[in-house]
Amino acid sequence: LQQRRGLRLSAPAAIQVTVRDALNQALDEELERDERVFLLGEEVAQYDGAYKISRGLWKKYGDKRVIDTPISEMGFAGIAVGAAMAGLRPVCEFMTFNFSMQAIDQVINSAAKTCYMSAGSIAVPIVFRGPNGASAGVAAQHSQCFAAWYGHCPGLKVVSPWSSEDAKGLLKAAIRDDNPVVMLESELLYGVPFEMSEQAQSKEFVIPIGKAKIERPGTHVTLVAHSRPVGHCLEAATVLSKEGVECEVINLRTIRPMDIETVEASVVKTNHLVTVEGGWPQFGVGAEICARIMEGPAFNYLDAPAVRVTGADVPMPYAKILEDNSIPQVKDIVFAVKKALNI
């Protein structure tokens, strides 16, 4: 009636949603949408998940759709891969991706390679997901970033969300994909609220795998990051803006296949490149970006060498002050930008 009278109706406002709740929404919507989807992992059912990502799902969908497993990553990852080959769409949660090393034979030799080795006759629609990279005070065996490890392997798609929209849209896309997808989340972001648009609140909202997002446009330097360091880059960009330096911040979103075209277009505009990641420097995601830029058309537009900001080249220390100095901070990004711009 109001529309017929020519009155403007206000669209539903964006809402604040934590990354945890966004992941829970995505799982709930996909379990409801497709009866082939099921979730398995340690403590995902009655306990609602070690990080409460699966809160309420066991009560809603029951034992066959949300399955608690023993502490045996090789075993339950193998069950999940076999289920995917048989036509189901499992979501396999690792309590931390450091523990996925127990199951790396299943992830790489079974999931990643089977479609290729079967000449496309056997699809493996599976999602491996869980917290990746540094948490807080959990030392070396729980703090490694596996983006470069899994991004190295053909046959896998690898996504790394930052915001709540990233988390929801990429998880839904991963579950619907017919390829094995590794989803690397950040435990430190689970409780962080982000604005979620009206579009992202839809049950059909997905983010295409393989497409980066420009979070902040700029003209002087390109900052490329994934996961939690995207937020650090935005903070650094705010600091640098007060000094007259405008940073273009790119949220990579996907590690493999990498959207190098978006990075190239930005470098052509800004003539400078800084990569930021929480992982180790050698053979890292930033190293791959730098190599791809050097090998492509954007290299001719660089006015200075690219600069990498990474985690320290050491196993993660336990002590907080050492931990803080092993992970890229805002001040490290500001320093790297000034180095790239020679200011």
Side-chain angles (χ1 to χ4, degrees), residues 17-236:
V17 177
T18 65
V19 171
R20 174 182 290 109
D21 288 342
L23 291 167
N24 181 267
Q25 281 178 29
L27 287 168
D28 188 11
E29 290 169 8
E30 293 306 302
L31 283 161
E32 181 181 65
R33 175 181 173 272
D34 188 340
E35 64 181 12
R36 297 171 299 170
V37 176
F38 70 98
L39 172 68
L40 79 168
E42 295 152 358
E43 299 182 346
V44 299
Q46 287 97 325
Y47 190 67
D48 280 343
Y51 308 99
K52 307 305 176 196
I53 303 299
S54 54
R55 184 174 54 230
L57 298 181
W58 173 68
K59 288 181 180 177
K60 185 173 181 180
Y61 296 101
D63 290 325
K64 289 188 177 180
R65 306 289 302 282
V66 182
I67 304 168
D68 273 336
T69 66
I71 303 173
S72 177
E73 282 77 13
M74 182 184 289
F76 69 74
I79 289 169
V81 172
M85 291 177 179
L88 299 178
R89 306 187 82 87
V91 179
C92 177
E93 177 179 306
F94 293 120
M95 197 176 287
T96 162
F97 259 94
N98 297 266
F99 300 162
S100 74
M101 293 294 94
Q102 297 289 332
I104 199 164
D105 182 57
Q106 307 288 6
V107 179
I108 305 302
N109 281 327
S110 297
K113 298 177 182 176
T114 295
C115 186
Y116 178 85
M117 295 178 73
S118 66
S121 64
I122 302 175
V124 189
I126 185 171
V127 180
F128 300 101
R129 54 153 296 272
N132 169 73
S135 179
V138 292
Q141 293 174 338
H142 301 77
S143 299
Q144 185 175 332
C145 176
F146 289 92
W149 284 54
Y150 287 119
H152 178 66
C153 302
L156 291 178
K157 294 184 177 181
V158 183
V159 298
S160 183
W162 168 60
S163 67
S164 297
E165 286 198 6
D166 289 352
K168 182 179 179 181
L170 288 172
L171 181 52
K172 288 170 73 74
I175 292 171
R176 297 181 188 191
D177 202 289
D178 287 333
N179 299 281
V181 181
V182 172
M183 181 154 172
L184 304 171
E185 301 156 12
S186 168
E187 182 182 338
L188 294 174
L189 289 176
Y190 282 154
V192 177
F194 289 87
E195 190 172 274
M196 187 173 275
S197 66
E198 179 195 357
Q199 179 190 12
Q201 296 168 46
S202 161
K203 288 187 177 182
E204 291 308 309
F205 175 71
V206 294
I207 290 173
I209 293 174
K211 185 62 183 168
K213 180 186 178 185
I214 297 173
E215 297 286 352
R216 176 181 175 131
T219 54
H220 295 125
V221 61
T222 299
L223 294 176
V224 186
H226 64 95
S227 191
R228 189 165 173 257
V230 174
H232 293 149
C233 286
L234 290 169
E235 289 181 46

Side-chain angles (χ1 to χ4, degrees), residues 263-320:
V263 180
E264 283 180 335
S266 179
V267 170
V268 166
K269 179 172 69 170
T270 68
N271 312 116
H272 297 89
L273 172 65
V274 174
T275 67
V276 185
E277 64 189 303
W280 294 318
Q282 192 154 316
F283 313 114
V285 175
E288 174 66 16
I289 294 168
C290 292
R292 298 275 281 275
I293 291 298
M294 189 188 77
E295 293 167 352
F299 174 72
N300 294 316
Y301 291 83
L302 279 176
D303 287 343
V307 179
R308 290 181 295 158
V309 180
T310 71
D313 197 20
V314 297
M316 182 64 71
Y318 170 73
K320 180 170 175 27

